[in-house]
Amino acid sequence: MTQAPATPKALRRRHDREIIALAVPAFGALVAEPLFVIVDSAIVGHLGTPQLAGLGVAAALLMTAVSVFVFLAYATTAAVARRVGAGDLAAAIRQGMDGIWLALLLGVAVIAVTLPAAPWLVQVFGASDTAAPYATTYLRISSLGIPAMLIVLAATGVLRGLQDTKTPLYVAIGGFAANAVLNVGLVYGAGLGIAGSAWGTVLAQTAMAVAYLIVVVRGARRHGASLRPDASGIRASAQAGAPLLVRTLSLRAILMIATAVAARLGDTDIAAHQIVLSLWSLMAFALDAIAIAGQAIIGRYLGAGDAEGARQACRRMVEWGIATGVVLGLLIVAARPLLIPLFTSDPAVHDTLLPALLVVAFSQPIAGVVFVLDGVLMGAGDGPYLARAMLVTLAVFAPVALLIPVLGGGLTALWWAMALMMTVRMVTLWLRTRSGRWIVTGATR
C-alpha cells in the first residue's frame, strides 16, 4: 500500500520542526561567542584603562582575522550536508576533515604573520603609546590560539552539516565558562595581568578545538573515514571557500566604510553609530541562526537529489526570515525607550540615535530575507554567485555612503544607505533563487 503524499500543512510542520531544531541551538552558540570578549573586557578593565584600551585594539584585530576565515564553517557545512543527503556519512566526515586540515594550515600561516607584525598592526589600528605595549602582548599571545579558533570554525561546519547544532552550543557554553575561570585565575590569582587574560583565552579556545576533534574523530572511526590529510581534498576545500572569502571581505569593507563615514560626521554621530551597529549585529544573530539551518537543510536536500524538497524548504525559511524580521523590528520600536538610556545619557547622542534606530527596525524584514537566502545559496554551494552579488552590493553602497558627508547628510542618511545595501542584497539573492540555477543535486556540486 503506497503512502499518501504529505499535505502542504504537514510539510510546513515538518520544515518548521527542522528549522527550530537547528536554529535554536545555533542561536545560542552564536550569542556565546561574543561573550568571550565581554568577559575579557570585564576582567581586564579592573587592571586599568591602558590595559583595557590595549585589549580593545588586540581583540578587534583578532576578531577581524578570524571573521575573514568564517568561510571555513560555511563551505564545510554545505559540503558535508550534501554528502549526508546522499547517504554517505564516511565521505561526509572525510570532507569535514579536509576543512579541518585547511583550518590548521591557515592558522599556522596567520601565526607566522602575526607574531612578528604585532607591533606594526597595533600601531596601524591607532593604539596610544600607553596602550600599545598591552595590545602587543595580548595580540602575540592570543595569536597562538588562532589555529584552535579556525579549527573550531571548520569543526562547527562539520557538525552543522551532520545536522547537529546542539554539540556546538554545548562546546560554546563550556568554552565560555572555562574562559571566565581561567581569566580570573591567571589575571589575578597568578598575577599575570593582561598576559593572563590572553593565555586564558588561548587555553579555552584550545580546549574547545580538542572537544570538537574528539567528536569528529569518533564519528570518523565509527564510519570508517580516514583522518589523514589529503592534498586534493584540502585544495578542493580552499577552492570552495575562496568565493565565500571574497563575499566576507566585501561585507567587511561595507561595514568599515560605514564606520569611516560615521566618524567623519562627528563624535556624536560615531558614538550613536556604534550603538546602532551593536544592536544591528545583535539582531543579526537571530537571523543568522535561521541561515545556518538553511545551509544544513538545503545541502542535505540537494545531496539527496530532492530538488522540490529544497525549493519547499527555501520558501518556508523565507517565511520564517520575514516573520522574524517583523518581530525584531517591532521589538526595537517597542523597546527603544529602554534601550537608548541603557547605552547613553547624552541628549545629543540620544537625538541622533533614535531616527537611525527606527531605520534599522524598518529594514529588519528585508534583513530576514537576505540572511535566509544567503544561507540557502551557501547550502547549495553557490559561492561564486554570492561573491559576485556582494561585489555588486559594495559597488552600489560605497559611492552612496561616501557622498553622505559631502551632501550634508547625517547618521540617519547613512543608515538609509545601509538599508539600501540590504535591499540590493535581497534583490540579487532573490533573482538567483527565482532562476533556479542554484539547484544542483548530487553529493558534490
Side-chain angles (χ1 to χ4, degrees):
M1 182 178 179
T2 58
Q3 188 176 4
T7 64
K9 187 175 181 179
L11 284 172
R12 284 197 301 272
R13 281 201 302 265
R14 188 178 73 190
H15 289 314
D16 290 346
R17 285 195 298 270
E18 283 189 323
I19 293 167
I20 292 170
L22 291 169
V24 172
F27 175 71
L30 289 169
V31 170
E33 290 173 9
L35 293 178
F36 272 79
V37 177
I38 293 174
V39 168
D40 287 4
S41 300
I43 293 170
V44 171
H46 291 286
L47 295 173
T49 300
Q51 289 91 331
L52 184 59
L55 171 66
V57 171
L61 282 162
L62 286 166
M63 289 303 101
T64 299
V66 173
S67 66
V68 164
F69 296 111
V70 74
F71 71 84
L72 289 166
Y74 294 158
T76 305
T77 298
V80 171
R82 275 185 175 269
R83 299 283 191 179
V84 170
D88 192 346
L89 289 177
I93 295 173
R94 173 66 262 177
Q95 189 97 41
M97 284 304 305
D98 292 334
I100 290 173
W101 280 112
L102 175 62
L104 180 60
L105 293 174
L106 290 172
V108 171
V110 173
I111 288 178
V113 172
T114 305
L115 283 178
W120 177 79
L121 291 169
V122 165
Q123 184 180 11
V124 167
F125 262 61
S128 67
D129 291 340
T130 54
Y134 297 110
T136 302
T137 297
Y138 190 94
L139 181 60
R140 277 181 166 157
I141 296 172
S142 292
S143 68
L144 300 176
I146 287 178
M149 294 181 193
L150 300 190
I151 287 172
V152 165
L153 282 177
T156 299
V158 175
L159 294 180
R160 288 173 181 170
L162 294 170
Q163 317 295 298
D164 176 10
T165 56
K166 289 183 179 178
T167 300
L169 172 61
Y170 300 148
V171 174
I173 292 172
F176 167 71
N179 182 61
V181 172
L182 287 166
N183 266 261
V184 172
L186 294 175
V187 171
Y188 296 110
L192 296 180
I194 195 169
S197 177
W199 281 116
T201 301
V202 169
L203 292 172
Q205 291 284 355
T206 302
M208 291 173 66
V210 169
Y212 274 118
L213 289 174
I214 289 172
V215 173
V216 174
V217 168
R218 283 178 178 171
R221 288 176 175 169
R222 187 163 55 249
H223 296 287
S226 173
L227 298 172
R228 294 179 180 177
D230 176 69
S232 61
I234 294 171
R235 189 163 50 250
S237 293
Q239 289 171 348
L244 296 180
L245 176 60
V246 173
R247 167 204 169 274
T248 301
L249 289 174
S250 301
L251 180 57
R252 297 295 301 183
I254 286 169
L255 297 177
M256 288 175 66
I257 290 170
T259 300
V261 169
R264 289 178 63 187
L265 296 175
D267 290 347
T268 298
D269 291 84
I270 187 62
H273 174 74
Q274 287 305 114
I275 296 171
V276 178
L277 187 61
S278 297
L279 291 170
W280 186 77
S281 300
L282 181 62
M283 300 300 104
F285 284 135
L287 298 173
D288 203 24
I290 303 174
I292 288 168
Q295 293 171 33
I297 293 170
I298 293 298
R300 193 190 73 232
Y301 272 116
L302 293 178
D306 188 354
E308 183 55 32
R311 288 191 188 92
Q312 292 173 354
C314 175
R315 282 195 293 269
R316 189 56 179 162
M317 280 183 284
V318 168
E319 292 170 359
W320 269 81
I322 295 171
T324 304
V326 169
V327 170
L328 291 174
L330 292 174
L331 281 175
I332 291 173
V333 173
R336 71 189 189 282
L338 299 174
L339 285 173
I340 294 176
L342 185 66
F343 286 99
T344 180
S345 57
D346 186 332
V349 176
H350 181 286
D351 293 341
T352 304
L353 173 62
L354 180 58
L357 199 57
L358 292 177
V359 174
V360 171
F362 169 79
S363 63
Q364 283 305 294
I366 297 172
V369 176
V370 168
F371 274 81
V372 166
L373 294 183
D374 207 38
V376 165
L377 296 184
M378 282 184 192
D382 204 9
Y385 181 83
L386 289 172
R388 294 193 298 271
M390 191 59 79
L391 287 171
V392 169
T393 303
L394 174 60
V396 172
F397 173 79
V400 173
L402 293 172
L403 278 173
I404 288 171
V406 177
L407 299 177
L411 187 68
T412 303
L414 175 60
W415 276 93
W416 276 118
M418 290 288 284
L420 170 65
M421 178 270 293
M422 294 301 285
T423 302
V424 172
R425 288 186 70 190
M426 181 179 70
V427 170
T428 57
L429 297 174
W430 177 78
L431 288 173
R432 184 63 168 182
T433 51
R434 187 170 179 269
S435 73
R437 295 194 186 107
W438 58 280
I439 300 175
V440 179
T441 58
T444 57
R445 183 176 173 86

